[in-house]
Amino acid sequence: MYSKTVMDHFKNPRNVGEIQGADGVGEVGNPICGDMMKITIKVANDRIKDIKFLTFGCGAAIAVSSMVTEMAKGKTLDEAKQISKESVAKALDNLPKNKLHCSNLGADALQMAIKDYENRKSGKVKEQDTTEGYHCYTEEESCKCPYCDSEMHAGEKTCAMCGRKIEIKLST
């Protein structure tokens, strides 16, 4: 059963859309359930001035996206970095156990958008990877997804963070 808060955010989602010329973008997906989330932010004076989301997924995923944007709007970047899967689930008066992964996605998309903003601000531009894979230094070490830069274990074929299928290429 979904809480009244979950149903309210599902039926009346806040901050739906995409900010053109966003200062930061975070995209995540779960290939198992098919949920995909994109959060865009505008930042002024280290504060999230505006935030929007686009979500393809179940009612819980939409409610989570809506709640995350409400929780982050107007917050400083440091305050927004404290928004976690647990705080999102709590703000929604909890989610059914089989839908808790949705709160992970919402929190992860927000954190990725903040990281993207900070990287852009510091002049760190993510280079486009022209290959269809990612590179590990050794089979024992963890790797980074070339699309979202999240940690992956050697041998994984789908990034858990962004949901993209990747081809494994080991560097020597």
Side-chain angles (χ1 to χ4, degrees):
M1 239 11 231
Y2 290 119
S3 70
K4 288 181 182 181
T5 308
V6 171
M7 292 307 295
D8 179 43
H9 277 269
F10 167 62
K11 290 180 179 178
N12 306 293
R14 286 75 154 172
N15 308 306
V16 177
E18 184 173 4
I19 298 171
Q20 297 303 314
D23 295 325
V25 178
E27 292 183 87
V28 296
N30 185 329
I32 295 168
C33 67
D35 293 339
M36 300 296 291
M37 295 179 185
K38 180 177 186 178
I39 289 183
T40 52
I41 60 174
K42 267 290 188 196
V43 179
N45 300 320
D46 282 338
R47 193 171 289 277
I48 297 177
K49 180 180 173 183
D50 196 11
I51 183 168
K52 301 275 186 207
F53 79 90
L54 293 174
T55 294
F56 176 80
C58 65
I62 293 167
V64 162
S65 299
S66 175
M67 180 57 80
V68 165
T69 61
E70 285 290 284
M71 292 172 73
K73 195 174 214 174
K75 298 278 193 288
T76 66
L77 294 175
D78 286 338
E79 291 169 336
K81 286 178 184 178
Q82 301 306 310
I83 296 172
S84 65
K85 61 184 179 187
E86 293 85 8
S87 63
V88 174
K90 184 178 179 182
L92 286 168
D93 298 323
N94 292 313
L95 290 166
K97 282 188 179 189
N98 66 333
K99 295 296 181 179
L100 283 174
H101 66 275
C102 295
S103 62
N104 289 352
L105 291 177
D108 289 344
L110 173 62
Q111 300 311 319
M112 288 178 72
I114 293 169
K115 181 179 178 182
D116 182 48
Y117 164 75
E118 291 175 336
N119 286 343
R120 291 180 192 199
K121 185 177 177 184
S122 70
K124 183 179 175 185
V125 179
K126 192 172 183 179
E127 293 179 25
Q128 291 290 354
D129 188 347
T130 57
T131 65
E132 286 291 320
Y134 73 110
H135 303 276
C136 295
Y137 296 107
T138 70
E139 289 186 39
E140 293 82 31
E141 291 183 23
S142 63
C143 307
K144 297 268 188 179
C145 172
Y147 303 107
C148 70
D149 205 35
S150 65
E151 290 285 329
M152 295 183 62
H153 297 289
E156 287 182 315
K157 295 183 179 184
T158 302
C159 177
M161 184 67 85
C162 69
R164 294 193 178 169
K165 291 187 185 297
I166 51 181
E167 179 183 317
I168 301 166
K169 295 179 182 180
L170 294 176
S171 297
T172 54

